[in-house]
Amino acid sequence: MSDYAVDPSALRETVASTLGAQAYKVEVALGEVILTVKPADYLAAMQSLRDAPGCKFEQLIDLCGLDMSRWGDGRWEGQRFCVVVQLLSVSLNQRLRVKVYCADDEFPVVDSVNNLWNAANWFEREAFDLFGIMFEGHTDLRRILTDYGFIGHPFRKDFPLSGNVEMRYDAERQRVVYEPVTIEAREVTPRIIREEHYGGLH
């Protein structure tokens, strides 16, 4: 059961009735209410969640991207990229998780909610940087954790562990240069060393 005052089942009904057809799915799991909306309804639904009397989610406390392509060892059959948002209502002492799946796996995009909650700014930039998810309407969507010359999005499940390029300082040119990765891919098997009579074993 959640530490929050509102019963999850009651909040589920409030969210469902407030959003109507915009609520693709509203469920309760582990004491938390989880709302799934379609990309086309995402921005309007989020505004209603912020402004509607029974919701009043004044704060966006987290936003992240997900790559579902290898979830459950490949059993996932839905869209590849998802944006998950955690909302908090201080005034009503309740919280809500919102999920929206990007419609196009090749070019994942959803609306930005930065105009609704300023806190979304860096979170959306992070999801763009790490997963390549675009946020329509974001006025400053650029990398935030990786270098501007970085190639690819490192939290995608198909991103190579060694990366695509490596960076070094070239003393002759007196600047940083990017070059193809020279690390050879290899599988490392840990070696287990035990002392004699370890754990009472002989």
Side-chain angles (χ1 to χ4, degrees):
M1 186 65 146
S2 172
D3 293 334
Y4 285 74
V6 176
D7 175 60
S9 297
L11 178 57
R12 177 190 178 280
E13 294 305 316
T14 298
V15 169
S17 62
T18 299
L19 297 183
Q22 292 177 343
Y24 178 72
K25 181 167 64 172
V26 191
E27 57 190 331
V28 177
L30 301 175
E32 300 287 339
V33 181
I34 304 169
L35 164 70
T36 304
V37 296
K38 294 181 179 179
D41 298 323
Y42 175 58
L43 186 59
M46 294 300 263
Q47 180 150 8
S48 295
L49 291 171
R50 186 193 67 177
D51 299 338
C55 297
K56 292 188 178 179
F57 290 101
E58 312 100 339
Q59 292 188 13
L60 181 148
I61 57 176
D62 190 29
L63 181 151
C64 69
L66 293 176
D67 180 352
M68 304 293 293
S69 60
R70 296 184 188 171
W71 185 88
D73 294 326
R75 292 194 307 272
W76 179 255
E77 296 181 353
Q79 299 303 122
R80 176 178 177 180
F81 295 102
C82 177
V83 173
V84 182
V85 184
Q86 309 285 351
L87 298 178
L88 172 67
S89 172
V90 176
S91 58
L92 297 180
N93 197 25
Q94 59 191 14
R95 61 182 167 184
L96 176 70
R97 180 178 300 131
V98 182
K99 292 182 178 182
V100 56
Y101 291 88
C102 303
D104 187 349
D105 289 351
E106 298 301 315
F107 185 68
V109 59
V110 296
D111 287 313
S112 171
V113 293
N114 191 37
N115 288 334
L116 299 177
W117 296 278
N118 290 334
N121 186 357
W122 284 14
F123 289 130
E124 290 181 346
R125 286 180 58 190
E126 180 184 64
F128 161 69
D129 191 358
L130 300 181
F131 292 94
I133 298 172
M134 304 295 294
F135 291 87
E136 185 73 34
H138 194 293
T139 57
D140 189 26
L141 194 62
R142 56 193 166 95
R143 293 188 181 274
I144 191 170
L145 294 175
T146 62
D147 187 76
Y148 292 143
F150 193 89
I151 296 175
H153 304 282
F155 277 17
R156 288 190 174 192
K157 299 298 184 183
D158 53 5
F159 187 82
L161 292 178
S162 60
N164 295 306
V165 297
E166 57 189 25
M167 178 179 65
R168 68 175 179 84
Y169 180 76
D170 188 302
E172 291 183 8
R173 291 185 265 186
Q174 296 186 343
R175 66 179 179 87
V176 172
V177 295
Y178 296 89
E179 298 171 334
V181 172
T182 57
I183 301 171
E184 292 184 14
R186 61 192 178 101
E187 184 176 331
V188 178
T189 303
R191 181 182 176 194
I192 300 173
I193 302 175
R194 297 199 188 280
E195 298 176 5
E196 189 176 352
H197 308 303
Y198 174 83
L201 299 175
H202 298 284

